[in-house]
Amino acid sequence: MNTREIVSTATYLASTKPAFLLSELCTYLTGDVPVTELYRSLSPHLHRLGLAATEVDGDYKISRIQKPAVYLLNTDERKRIDAFFAACKIPAILERAIEEYITKKVGKSWDDPVILERLRRAVVAQKDDYWKPSQRRRLQYTKGYRVLSYLAYHFPVYFMQTGHLLAMLARDGLLKKTMTVLDAGTGPGVVPLAIAEFYSRLDDATATVYSVERSEEHIEAFMFLREQCTHKGATASIKPPIRADITTFDPAQIPQQVDLLVFSNVLNELIDLSLEQRADLVMRFAERLSPDGSILIVEPAEEATSTQMRMLSLTLKKRGLSLHSPCSFVWGTNCTPDRCWSFVTAPSIMPTRLMETLAACNEPFRYVNTDIKYSYVVLRKDGKTKEKYRVPSGSQVLRLSQIHRHVDKRVNIIAAKMSEELGNAKTHMFRLCDGSAEKPVYAVAPSYHITIGNEGIVSAPYGSILELDNVLVRYNPKHDAYNVLVNRKTRIRQHD
Ligand SMILES: C[S@@+](CC[C@H](N)C(=O)[O-])C[C@H]1O[C@@H](n2cnc3c(N)ncnc32)[C@H](O)[C@@H]1O
């Protein structure tokens, strides 16, 4: 009896009824195979087949794993979430908990002048390190003040940023009524705590959040904030982080059916790993992803880090994951991401009391971090993409891979808007991508040329697909890039 026959018979039975006993397989198989033998052959394949086994009186009940329903936000939930974003503030309870944690760790009040001075030095050292090219960073989060300065400087922005990303996942129908989440490289629990906050605004959804982190100091901070800011019986259950190195982590330690896998500001820190090795790591974790689960990778908007993330995304696409968003491939081609610098912005947050206190010195700007800018990608195993649009064959539309042949000519293009405003109020500028361009392409629109017929270039959201009819192509030798000039005769339509 070979395994293939057992697997295909089980697949057949599962397609005919929601559940069956493993012993029923014997009716279809040649020879008398004991149930234990059947189970041994079938069990490694169950997860992939979307099946689960439960032992019943010496037999096994095999049933289809029920997909939790997609969770769509209702009007009240949307209002509550919008109100939270409009305040642009991290919850007061979290602000106070961070202050208390600093006080607890240093044994003096967080606003003691000596402590503030040490925090300032740590913030500056961490920032200097953070913006260095990745090969030159030291990035140690093990010394006490580095974690405290992370809490003071980075945590508030990343916390709100995660809220915006969760709202986006909800809008895109990627949250489920019951979710299992895994956050890899969780630090002081930014993502889990943001999930707890987000879910507290939902009526009827629950999440169980697992996380992995290697730094003991970060875990200690996470456990303190979790204790102060979450409570038993809440809609999100935040599990204590697993202490481990994600590069050697055995995913068997986490549940089989993870619905959302998050790598927030962490993959860029794995400076010893090549692109292929980072892809291996993500694929290893993806083994635990449910067939309709999502992987969210987020990185700082800084050019080198952001571009590296796009290269990783394409590598993962070539390994079989689909790029759900924000990228779209309107010609069905693979892209050339080595100069792809694309990021999102969200409204700045209000400085926390701790930031303001740190800023009460000669160089206040060094200690206030309120801008939200990030690069992200959502990947899937099931081929699902946010945009399904493909340019119909026979369209009179230029592929951006051919733009060099059309310099100084007027053309029609279809491309996604892949930046927020890069220009100014006088001359708008936005990055465009149709998935085929080898060099960056920008739409340039002087404000006096903006009309009702082309204002979509300004108002369309990040990632939306635009049809641009009648734009003039120019080459920009200084940046080795192409500009397409929008004027009054240009018509722009946002694709539905
Ligand atoms: C910049 S912090 C990001 C924390 C959090 N995810 C966020 O977005 O704010 C990076 C975190 O990843 C952790 N980290 C880096 N390399 C790791 C590894 N190989 N295994 C586990 N954690 C790692 C660091 O200790 C740190 O806590």
Side-chain angles (χ1 to χ4, degrees), residues 24 40 45 53 60 67 125 151 172 194 202 229 247 301 349 368 445:
E24 288 178 47
R40 208 176 18 251
H45 304 275
Y60 289 89
K67 282 189 191 171
L151 291 173
D172 290 349
L202 306 186
C229 305
T247 60
I349 62 165
V368 176

Side-chain angles (χ1 to χ4, degrees), residues 404 407-408 439 473-483:
H404 56 284
V407 173
D408 298 331
K439 294 185 177 174
V473 178
R474 295 277 196 227
Y475 176 62
N476 180 343
K478 194 167 156 210
H479 295 286
D480 189 20
Y482 292 92
N483 292 338

Side-chain angles (χ1 to χ4, degrees), residues 127-143:
K127 267 203 299 189
D128 285 354
D129 213 24
Y130 211 76
W131 297 114
K132 270 183 198 160
S134 50
Q135 314 84 305
R136 286 176 38 221
R137 290 189 210 154
R138 281 168 293 129
L139 285 170
Q140 294 158 3
Y141 293 100
T142 45
K143 298 200 183 78

